Amino acid sequence: MALLAPLIAPFDPNVQTMSSRLLAPSAQHWFGTDGFGRDLLSRVIYGARPTLLLVSLILVLTIPAGLLIGITAGYVGGWTERLLMRITDIFLSLPNLVIALALVAILGPGLMNGALALALTSWPPFARQARAETLALRRSDYLAAARMQGITGFRLMFGHILPLCMPTAVVRAALSLGGIILAAAGLGFLGMGVQPPTAEWGSMVAEGSKAMACATDWIPVMQNNLLHAEGLTIRSDDALLVDNISFSVGRERVALVGESGSGKSLTARSLMGLLSPALHLQASQLQVAGENALTLSERHWNQLRGNRVAMVMQDPKYALNPTRTIGWQVEEPLILHRRLSRAERKEKVCEMLDAVGLPDPRRLMQQYPHQLSGGMGQRVMLAIALITDPDFLIADEPTSALDHAMRDQVLALIRGLVEARNMGLLLISHDLQQVSEHCERVMVMYKGRLLDTLPAADLPHATHPYTRTLWACRPGKATHGQTLPGYELRTVVHEVNLEVNAGECFGLVGPSGCGKSSLLWVLAGLNPHWQGQMQLAGHEVQPGKAFTGALRQEVQMVFQDPYASLHPRHRLRRTLAEPLKLLKCDNINDRIDQGFRHVGLDPALADRYPHQLSGGQRQRVAIVRALLLQPKILLLDEPTSALDMSVQAEILNLLNDLKQQDGLTMVLVSHDPDVIDHMCDRAVHMSQGRIIEQISA
C-alpha cells in the first residue's frame, strides 16, 4: 500500500481545502477530512510511507548491531561476553521511548534522527537472542565438524552461525515491528518525528484521527476407531516415495521395518496427518481411529492427534520443549483434550510418570528435559503419548538413540503398557531382533513398497528374499572379517591409556554415559579441557591448544548423527567445498564428485540439502567430508546407531573397504558389541569413564 500510494490515493494528501474542513465520511471522502480539509484516506495511505521507512531504517541498524554483539559474545566468551552483556543489560533496563525522546531532543526532530534514536534502544533483544543461540550452537555437531576441518573465527561466526541466527532474528523483528511502529508514532505524536505537513500516523493521531479494529473468532468440535489403508501413495513433485501400499492394524503390536528411505516414517506421518505440504497423498481408503483421514480438516486432526491416536518420536532431545518443565509438557494433552480440574490433572500426571517407571514423579515434574538421561526422556515422551488413554500408539524409532540395555527396557515398557490398556501399536524400527521379541506381526517395506507381512516369530525363517537378507545382515562375532549381505596414537586422558597401531581399527564400547564420545572429542581436538600426554599421527598435542595445520587435516571425525553434523541451510556441495577452499585446492568440484562415487553415491546428490537425503545417504556424505582432507586417523562416533540393519551393513562394508584400500587408522565408538566384534582388531570396554576390560578380536 505504501509503495502504491500515488496510484491508489484518491487525493493529494497535502492539499488543503478549508471549505471542506471536518467532513463526515462520504462517497467522495471515504474517511472524511481533517481540520485543514485534507482527505483522511489519502493521508492514511501516504502516512504508511514515512512510518515504514522509519521502521526499515531502525531494523537495518538494529539487526546487524544486535547479531554482531550477540554472536561475538556467545562465541568468544570470557571477559568479552561479560562486558558486552553488561552493556546490553544496561540498555535493556532503560525505557526505550524515554531514551529516544532524550536523544531526539539533543539531535533535533526528523526522520533520520528519530530512526537513530530508536535504533540505539532497540538492539538489545536481538543481541541477547543471538548470544543464547550461539551458546547452544557452539556445541552442535555441524559446528564441531566445521572446526574439525579448520574453519574458525570470523568465517565460522558469520559463515555458519549467522545464517542459523537469521531466521529467529527475522521472527524477532516481526514481533518487534508493532512496538517499533508505536514508538515511531509516539515520536510523531509528540512532534519529534516526521515534521508537518508530511502525512505520518503519529502526527495524525495527534490531530485527532482515530482508528478502530475489531475481530471475532470461533471455536469448533469433533468425534471416533484403528488403522486401515488401501492404495496409500505418497509422492513429491519428482519422485514416488510410498507406492500403493495397503494394510490394517487393530488392537495388536505390529512392526514396520525396512532400510532408511524405504518410506516407513512417511507412512507413519501420513497416519497422523503430519506430511509436509510439499508431498501429495492419495489413497482409496485411509481410516484412522474410525475417521476418514482423507477428508479431515486440520481442526479435526488436532482433536484426533494426542487424543485417539498418539505418536512417540525418535529422539526426546529434539521432541521435548527445552523451555518447559516435564510436568507442563505431560499435562498439556489433558488441558487440550480432557475437562479436568488442575488438581485432577496433576494427580493424573503423577500416576502416568509412575506408570512409565520414572522415580519421584513430583520432583521430576519440576525438572527440564536437559536434566534427564536419554532413557528418562524417552519415558517422558511415552507418558505424554499415553496420558489421554489413546486407542492407538505409533512409535517412530523410539529406541535408536539409546544403548542396548536401555532399548530392551523401553520396548518392554511400551509392550506392557500397550497390552495393559488394550491399545494398538505400530512400531517403526530397524532392530529386527527386538522386533521379533516385542511384536506380534511385522510389515517389511523396501523403496516405498510393502514387500512382506509375517508373524514376528517367523522372522528367522522368512521366505521373502529381502526379509531373509535383513535378518542375515546383522553384524556379530560370527561375521568378523566377513562381507555382510547386502598409526600411531598414544593417549592419556582422565586415567585412560590407549595405544593404537597404524592401520588398525580400534573400538571403544560401553553403555551410554560411560565416556566414549567424550574421549573421542578429546582425540578430535574438540574438547580442550583435558590433562596428560597425547600424541596423534606423530604430533605432540598440548592440553588446551586447538589443532592446526597438518594435524587438523590428518585427524577427521564422522559424527553420530549425520543430519545434525551437516549444516541444514547449506547445500552439501558448499559444505564439502569450504575446507578445500581454505586449503586452496584445485578442481574442488571434481574431487567432491569423485568422493561421492567412492562411497557409492550419485554426484548429483551434492547439490541437495541434508534433509533431502535418507539417513544412510547422509552418513555416506559425512564419510566423504572426512575423507576429502585425506586424513591418517578417522574417528567414528556411533556411525551406525541411527541406521537400519541393511544400511548399517552397507556402511560397515564401506568402512572395511576404506580401511583396506587407504590404510586408514580408525577409532570406532559404539554401544553395540556386535558392531565392535565385526569391525575392530582390538577394543576396550569402558564404564564410568574408565577402561575396565581389554577385548581382542
Side-chain angles (χ1 to χ4, degrees):
M1 183 180 73
L3 296 176
L4 298 176
L7 299 177
I8 62 177
F11 296 94
D12 187 320
N14 296 321
V15 171
Q16 301 180 11
T17 308
M18 299 306 292
S19 60
S20 300
R21 294 176 64 245
L22 301 176
L23 293 180
S26 64
Q28 186 179 11
H29 299 286
W30 288 10
F31 286 6
T33 60
D34 68 4
F36 295 96
R38 295 173 296 197
D39 181 67
L40 281 176
L41 174 61
S42 300
R43 288 186 66 76
V44 168
I45 294 172
Y46 271 91
R49 304 183 93 181
T51 300
L52 295 182
L53 178 59
L54 184 64
V55 169
S56 299
L57 288 172
I58 293 168
L59 293 178
V60 165
L61 294 171
T62 56
I63 292 177
L67 289 176
L68 175 63
I69 292 170
I71 292 173
T72 301
Y75 181 76
V76 176
W79 67 266
T80 303
E81 179 185 18
R82 290 193 293 273
L83 175 63
L84 292 175
M85 286 300 101
R86 293 302 76 76
I87 294 172
T88 303
D89 291 341
I90 291 170
F91 273 89
L92 273 175
S93 66
L94 301 173
N96 289 15
L97 191 56
V98 173
I99 300 302
L101 287 172
L103 290 171
V104 171
I106 296 170
L107 299 172
L111 181 68
M112 291 302 299
N113 290 343
L116 180 60
L118 288 173
L120 285 173
T121 59
S122 301
W123 60 266
F126 293 94
R128 290 183 68 86
Q129 183 166 309
R131 169 184 172 265
E133 285 197 82
T134 304
L135 289 174
L137 291 168
R138 200 162 59 177
R139 289 287 293 173
S140 67
D141 284 356
Y142 48 81
L143 290 190
R147 287 163 54 204
M148 284 291 301
Q149 301 192 315
I151 301 167
T152 56
F154 283 99
R155 192 179 189 103
L156 188 66
M157 290 166 60
F158 300 108
H160 291 257
I161 297 176
L162 178 61
L164 295 169
C165 293
M166 280 303 297
T168 49
V170 171
V171 173
R172 161 65 69 180
L175 294 173
S176 303
L177 209 56
I180 294 173
I181 290 174
L182 284 174
L187 290 179
F189 179 83
L190 296 171
M192 298 181 131
V194 177
Q195 297 300 293
T198 304
E200 191 270 333
W201 290 343
S203 61
M204 291 171 66
V205 172
E207 292 167 4
S209 301
K210 295 183 179 179
M212 296 180 64
C214 64
T216 58
D217 52 2
W218 54 277
I219 304 173
V221 284
M222 158 189 157
Q223 274 235 44
N224 222 4
N225 237 333
L226 294 185
L227 302 185
H228 175 71
E230 282 188 22
L232 178 62
T233 300
I234 302 171
R235 63 177 73 243
S236 63
D237 291 335
D238 57 357
L240 183 62
L241 305 174
V242 174
D243 185 8
N244 193 34
I245 67 172
S246 301
F247 60 90
S248 296
V249 183
R251 297 183 184 275
E252 56 183 327
R253 302 185 309 279
V254 179
L256 185 60
V257 303
E259 63 184 45
S260 296
S262 63
K264 307 185 301 296
S265 293
L266 280 178
T267 301
R269 286 181 172 274
S270 72
L271 300 173
M272 293 291 289
L274 296 175
L275 281 181
S276 164
L279 300 179
H280 311 289
L281 181 146
Q282 294 176 314
S284 56
Q285 276 194 33
L286 186 59
Q287 297 284 328
V288 179
E291 299 282 355
N292 183 358
L294 298 175
T295 60
L296 285 180
S297 66
E298 184 61 25
R299 184 177 81 244
H300 285 87
W301 268 119
N302 288 337
Q303 292 174 322
L304 190 65
R305 288 190 291 250
N307 184 18
R308 302 289 313 288
V309 182
M311 188 170 186
V312 177
M313 307 302 282
Q314 184 167 350
D315 193 337
K317 179 171 60 178
Y318 301 116
L320 291 174
N321 187 334
T323 66
R324 293 289 190 175
T325 63
I326 298 303
W328 188 94
Q329 295 185 65
V330 179
E331 183 184 0
E332 188 177 24
L334 292 176
I335 298 173
L336 294 173
H337 300 295
R338 297 289 183 269
R339 292 184 177 180
L340 299 174
S341 67
R342 181 178 175 82
E344 289 173 327
R345 292 198 305 268
K346 296 295 183 187
E347 187 61 33
K348 192 166 179 63
V349 169
C350 282
E351 292 174 1
M352 193 68 248
L353 291 175
D354 184 62
V356 297
L358 288 167
D360 197 357
R362 294 194 182 277
R363 180 180 62 84
L364 189 71
M365 288 170 63
Q366 308 304 316
Q367 294 184 318
Y368 288 85
H370 71 271
Q371 297 174 285
L372 308 183
S373 68
M376 293 175 73
Q378 201 59 276
R379 289 169 187 261
V380 169
M381 288 291 298
L382 189 57
I384 294 171
L386 299 181
I387 189 74
T388 56
D389 297 314
D391 294 317
F392 200 88
L393 177 67
I394 299 173
D396 186 3
E397 301 274 14
T399 62
S400 65
L402 306 178
D403 62 65
H404 237 56
M406 190 60 68
R407 288 183 190 182
D408 287 328
Q409 291 179 24
V410 170
L411 284 176
L413 175 64
I414 292 174
R415 175 180 177 174
L417 291 169
V418 166
E419 289 179 337
R421 293 161 181 255
N422 192 29
M423 296 167 55
L425 170 68
L426 182 65
L427 173 66
I428 297 173
S429 179
H430 58 253
D431 192 325
L432 269 68
Q433 183 64 48
Q434 291 182 325
V435 161
S436 68
E437 295 171 3
H438 295 286
C439 292
E440 300 166 89
R441 192 157 58 90
V442 179
M443 299 186 296
V444 182
M445 289 188 71
Y446 176 70
K447 291 188 176 179
R449 299 194 304 275
L450 190 60
L451 294 187
D452 196 12
T453 301
L454 71 163
D458 292 347
L459 273 173
H461 319 292
T463 56
H464 195 285
Y466 180 65
T467 310
R468 282 204 311 269
T469 302
L470 282 180
W471 185 262
C473 70
R474 296 169 302 136
K477 198 156 191 172
T479 64
H480 177 71
Q482 301 176 18
T483 299
L484 294 168
Y487 88 44
E488 200 170 318
L489 172 65
R490 180 165 183 80
T491 311
V492 183
V493 181
H494 300 302
E495 301 181 14
V496 171
N497 297 277
L498 294 178
E499 185 171 337
V500 180
N501 301 318
E504 183 178 32
C505 183
F506 188 87
L508 298 173
V509 66
S512 295
C514 71
K516 308 183 302 294
S517 293
S518 298
L519 177 56
L520 208 67
W521 276 57
V522 170
L523 299 179
L526 297 174
N527 181 1
H529 307 295
W530 58 277
Q531 294 178 336
Q533 300 174 356
M534 179 161 60
Q535 189 180 78
L536 291 170
H539 301 271
E540 290 287 344
V541 182
Q542 300 300 321
K545 297 291 180 66
F547 289 7
T548 56
L551 181 58
R552 180 70 289 158
Q553 286 181 249
E554 291 171 358
V555 180
Q556 289 296 308
M557 184 167 171
V558 176
F559 293 82
Q560 180 173 356
D561 185 346
Y563 185 73
S565 68
L566 295 168
H567 200 294
R569 296 187 178 273
H570 290 176
R571 294 186 189 273
L572 297 172
R573 190 176 295 277
R574 174 180 172 181
T575 297
L576 299 178
E578 190 168 16
L580 299 177
K581 289 178 180 177
L582 288 175
L583 296 172
K584 297 180 171 56
C585 297
D586 297 324
N587 304 317
I588 291 176
N589 284 329
D590 291 341
R591 292 180 64 166
I592 292 172
D593 291 346
Q594 183 181 351
F596 269 63
R597 294 189 193 96
H598 193 40
V599 298
L601 290 177
D602 184 349
L605 295 177
D607 296 312
R608 296 188 181 183
Y609 290 95
H611 71 269
Q612 296 176 301
L613 274 61
S614 70
Q617 289 173 326
R618 285 195 290 262
Q619 195 61 285
R620 288 170 183 262
V621 171
I623 293 171
V624 172
R625 176 173 57 185
L627 296 180
L628 278 176
L629 297 183
Q630 299 177 329
K632 294 181 180 177
I633 302 170
L634 186 63
L635 307 175
L636 302 156
D637 188 7
E638 303 273 12
T640 62
S641 66
L643 305 178
D644 59 73
M645 284 299 178
S646 60
V647 177
Q648 176 179 267
E650 293 174 9
I651 296 299
L652 295 181
N653 288 337
L654 172 62
L655 292 172
N656 260 330
D657 292 343
L658 293 172
K659 175 188 169 187
Q660 294 167 9
Q661 294 168 14
D662 303 338
L664 278 175
T665 301
M666 298 183 185
V667 179
L668 171 64
V669 164
S670 179
H671 58 240
D672 188 340
D674 292 332
V675 171
I676 294 292
D677 289 338
H678 175 75
M679 285 292 299
C680 298
D681 303 299
R682 290 187 299 124
V684 292
H685 188 185
M686 293 187 67
S687 178
Q688 298 182 349
R690 289 179 169 79
I691 293 174
I692 60 172
E693 183 183 7
Q694 302 278 344
I695 306 170
S696 300

